[in-house]
Amino acid sequence: MKHLTLPNDIGTVPQLSEFIDNFCQEEDIDAALTMKLNLAVEEAVVNVMSYGYPDNKVGLVDIDMESDGKWITITITDSGIPFDPTKKEEVDITLPADQRPIGGLGIYLVRNIMDTVEYQNINNQNILILRKELNKELNKE
């Protein structure tokens, strides 16, 4: 398992991307899947950084990544405002952009990139568990 702790500062997102890239390289994951994982995890983490700690409150975001050869599991933990993205209604992407409510596209992206998205709140900690099945995604070359 690989672990990264970041402050709730969007300026640290390059560290997150490097962390994901390094994990994927070590696990021999191809560039296309690496890019998708980066997008999904970045969306989830930036949402925590932007909305989980209001009024400039300082907080941390923990990211754990592991693979068992069949699944990649990414766990994002924070102690910000409780928020369950799995309860958020789907965004109607058929509507023109000017008719859609603001927000929700990040959650939409995460749901569509990852195979499973689970949320728990344990001991005042938000725990978001993202899973992606590797089946054909692994670079076997």
Side-chain angles (χ1 to χ4, degrees):
M1 181 185 321
K2 296 286 185 185
H3 176 83
L4 176 67
T5 300
L6 295 174
N8 64 316
D9 176 358
I10 293 173
T12 62
V13 168
Q15 288 175 264
L16 175 63
S17 295
E18 182 180 344
F19 170 74
I20 295 166
D21 289 345
N22 289 339
F23 174 86
C24 290
Q25 186 174 13
E26 289 174 17
E27 295 294 327
D28 197 27
I29 295 168
D30 67 32
L33 180 54
T34 298
M35 193 165 54
K36 289 178 186 177
L37 293 172
N38 252 309
L39 180 59
V41 176
E42 183 178 315
E43 282 294 335
V45 170
V46 167
N47 277 349
V48 170
M49 290 175 171
S50 299
Y51 306 111
Y53 297 101
D55 304 323
N56 297 319
K57 182 179 175 194
V58 176
L60 299 174
V61 182
D62 290 297
I63 303 99
D64 293 300
M65 292 185 74
E66 61 185 322
S67 174
D68 64 5
K70 181 172 173 151
W71 290 89
I72 293 174
T73 303
I74 303 155
T75 306
I76 301 166
T77 308
D78 69 87
S79 57
I81 295 171
F83 175 70
D84 182 351
T86 66
K87 301 284 189 222
K88 182 90 171 139
E89 287 186 28
E90 288 284 339
V91 173
D92 184 355
I93 60 168
T94 63
L95 290 174
D98 62 346
Q99 293 179 17
R100 282 186 231 145
I102 293 174
L105 281 178
I107 294 168
Y108 171 82
L109 280 171
V110 172
R111 285 179 177 160
N112 281 279
I113 290 171
M114 304 307 292
D115 292 314
T116 66
V117 178
E118 301 169 28
Y119 172 83
Q120 303 170 0
N121 189 291
I122 301 172
N123 298 325
N124 295 318
Q125 295 271 297
N126 293 301
I127 303 167
L128 186 64
I129 303 165
L130 310 175
R131 289 190 180 94
K132 184 72 177 169
E133 189 171 9
L134 290 171
N135 59 14
K136 301 173 202 156
E137 302 279 358
L138 266 181
N139 182 0
K140 300 285 186 185
E141 296 174 29

